[in-house]
């Protein structure tokens, strides 16, 4: 199951039978919730074009916003040198710059708060012996991944300063988004393990339900990553009809680029079609998981978790259609990105509840 291989020698005692395990789990869930907010903020900065407004990566000094008019002017002059200003926002003035600056600054500041919200309680729990020696490598790895995410974020932003670019590289965007999902998932899975270290007793018929949930979850993940490329090349601003694209099921420009594989990440028609196809398959698989859970699982927590996952996938599917038909306003686009984390959450919770006996 996801993330169980981080340390294959963990016992139920290591995972959750210690006196402070519930407190540690609650702390991790709070951090995961903060990452969820961070993902939503990231969507808002991308959709409003705010992500390139800060030209410097200053992990410590960047915690403070501009405190003088001279500093505001300096940062604005830096921004005026990049293609996004020259090609998109030329002449929008210092006040316009401040509007996009504050959203990006808030995004970065929230990331720093997440680091503190993880590091300080971790040190406190460790000092009190609430984190076992067997679990320590996992907690250290999570902290390292969080630091890497900050560096990857700057690596992504820096790509938007290149000549001719008005947005970040879609490949770097997908890497940044994938790392956010990975970090969120690892923290959530660890918290779930602390709250429920032993698999629940399930009937033998739970095995096919587990497999169906795994398929649905895998397709949902693939849809999210494909959605990263939709966002990266702004494919959602074209073909704003449903279910057909330009009057066709498969758009005529699907294979316009050569070599053929370039269409998978760089062709607007292909990227949007692939996202639609994966989303439809994920929705069908989620419905299959719901039916399987209803038929094979007794009424209780495990069945409810699968039903919640199915509901989240269908909610995201419908929201995606609405967002497309409205030509991706920043509010719906941000909500769509946030609900992706809901799908991730419900899928992981369902998988954790369906773990096979050890």
């Amino acid at each position: 199951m996801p993330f169980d291989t981080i340390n294959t020698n963990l016992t139920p005692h290591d995972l959750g039978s210690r006196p402070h395990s519930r407190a540690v789990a609650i702390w991790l869930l709070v951090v995961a919730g903060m990452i969820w907010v961070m993902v939503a903020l990231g969507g808002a900065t991308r959709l409003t074009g705010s992500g390139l407004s800060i030209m410097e990566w200053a992990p410590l000094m960047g915690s403070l916003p501009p405190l003088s008019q001279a500093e505001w002017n300096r940062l604005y002059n830096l921004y005026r040198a990049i293609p996004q200003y020259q090609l998109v926002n030329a002449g929008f003035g210092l006040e316009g710059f401040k509007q996009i600056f504050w959203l990006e600054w808030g995004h970065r500041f929230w990331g720093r708060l997440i680091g503190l919200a993880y590091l300080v309680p971790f040190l406190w729990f460790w000092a009190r012996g609430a984190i076992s020696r067997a679990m320590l490598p996992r907690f250290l790895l999570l902290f390292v991944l969080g630091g890497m995410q900050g560096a990857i974020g700057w690596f992504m932003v820096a790509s938007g300063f290149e000549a001719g670019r008005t947005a970040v590289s879609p490949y770097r965007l997908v890497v940044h988004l994938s790392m956010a999902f990975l970090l969120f998932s690892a923290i959530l899975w660890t918290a779930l393990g602390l709250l429920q270290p032993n698999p629940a007793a399930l009937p033998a018929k739970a095995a096919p339900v587990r497999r169906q949930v795994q398929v649905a979850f895998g397709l949902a993940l693939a849809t999210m990553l494909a959605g990263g490329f939709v966002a990266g090349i702004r494919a959602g601003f074209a073909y704003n009809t449903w279910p057909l694209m330009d009057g066709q099921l498969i758009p005529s420009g699907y294979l316009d680029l050569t070599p053929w594989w370039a269409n998978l990440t760089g062709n607007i028609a292909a990227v949007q079609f692939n996202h639609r196809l994966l989303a439809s398959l994920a929705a069908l698989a989620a419905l299959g998981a719901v039916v399987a859970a209803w038929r094979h699982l007794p009424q209780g927590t495990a069945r409810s978790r699968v039903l919640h996952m199915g509901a989240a996938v269908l909610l995201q599917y419908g929201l995606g259609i609405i967002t497309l038909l409205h030509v991706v306003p920043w509010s719906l686009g941000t909500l769509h990105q946030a609900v992706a984390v809901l799908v991730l959450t419900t899928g992981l919770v369902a998988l954790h509840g369906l773990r096979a006996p050890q």
Side-chain angles (χ1 to χ4, degrees):
M1 301 298 283
F3 312 108
D4 287 338
T5 56
I6 293 179
N7 186 339
T8 57
N9 297 317
L10 296 181
T11 66
H13 174 78
D14 295 320
L15 280 172
S17 59
R18 302 177 66 83
H20 300 288
S21 61
R22 183 172 179 82
V24 174
I26 292 173
W27 156 57
L28 290 175
L29 290 175
V30 169
V31 174
M34 294 180 71
I35 295 174
W36 193 334
V37 174
M38 187 71 168
V39 172
L41 284 173
T45 58
R46 172 180 54 80
L47 288 164
T48 58
S50 303
L52 301 181
S53 59
I54 301 180
M55 300 279 298
E56 300 170 324
W57 189 41
L60 295 178
M61 296 304 296
S63 302
L64 297 176
L67 300 176
S68 67
Q69 188 63 35
E71 181 64 6
W72 275 115
N73 290 333
R74 185 185 74 84
L75 293 173
Y76 180 44
N77 287 332
L78 287 176
Y79 178 69
R80 291 171 64 190
I82 69 172
Q84 186 190 70
Y85 173 82
Q86 297 164 0
L87 300 176
V88 178
N89 291 327
F92 77 164
L94 182 59
E95 292 305 312
F97 170 71
K98 287 181 179 181
Q99 292 180 12
I100 63 172
F101 174 91
W102 281 120
L103 187 54
E104 173 63 7
W105 183 85
H107 181 58
R108 297 191 188 191
F109 184 74
W110 191 255
R112 294 181 175 97
L113 286 181
I114 292 174
L116 287 175
Y118 186 90
L119 180 60
V120 174
F122 164 71
L123 294 175
W124 188 81
F125 281 123
W126 181 42
R128 291 178 61 87
I131 297 175
S132 68
R133 180 173 297 181
M135 286 289 287
L136 184 59
R138 178 183 295 207
F139 282 89
L140 292 175
L141 176 60
L142 291 174
F143 182 71
V144 171
L145 290 176
M148 288 177 56
Q149 175 68 333
I152 291 171
W154 174 249
F155 178 67
M156 176 192 70
V157 169
S159 68
F161 304 148
E162 298 171 359
R165 277 197 174 275
T166 60
V168 300
S169 162
Y171 298 99
R172 299 189 191 186
L173 173 65
V174 171
V175 171
H176 189 50
L177 184 63
S178 300
M179 178 60 81
F181 288 157
L182 174 64
L183 184 60
F184 174 87
S185 300
I187 290 175
L188 176 60
W189 192 265
T190 301
L192 293 173
L194 291 168
L195 293 172
Q196 186 186 358
N198 298 308
L202 297 172
K205 290 184 177 180
V209 181
R210 186 185 305 116
R211 289 192 293 270
Q212 186 69 32
V213 170
Q214 289 170 345
V215 170
F217 185 72
L219 286 169
L221 280 179
T223 304
M224 293 176 201
L225 297 183
F229 283 107
V230 170
I233 65 173
R234 297 175 65 82
F237 292 90
Y239 303 101
N240 299 104
T241 57
W242 184 269
L244 301 179
M245 298 176 63
D246 199 19
Q248 299 175 301
L249 183 61
I250 301 177
S252 57
Y254 185 88
L255 291 175
D256 278 356
L257 301 183
T258 54
W260 68 267
W261 47 262
N263 293 280
L264 300 178
T265 57
N267 180 344
I268 288 177
V271 166
Q272 191 189 125
F273 176 82
N274 293 342
H275 185 54
R276 291 185 183 208
L277 176 61
L278 287 168
S280 299
L281 293 175
L284 290 173
L287 282 174
V290 167
V291 172
W294 195 267
R295 291 180 57 191
H296 299 303
L297 295 179
Q299 186 174 359
T301 301
R303 182 204 277 186
S304 296
R305 290 180 175 187
V306 178
L307 299 184
H308 290 154
M309 184 200 73
V313 172
L314 293 179
L315 172 63
Q316 178 71 331
Y317 190 73
L319 180 59
I321 295 173
I322 293 172
T323 302
L324 177 72
L325 294 178
H326 286 81
V327 199
V328 198
W330 74 266
S331 54
L332 286 177
T334 300
L335 182 60
H336 189 50
Q337 185 156 315
V339 175
V341 185
L342 176 64
V343 172
L344 192 62
T345 301
T346 55
L348 288 169
V349 170
L351 287 172
H352 197 271
L354 291 169
R355 288 173 298 161
Q358 298 175 347

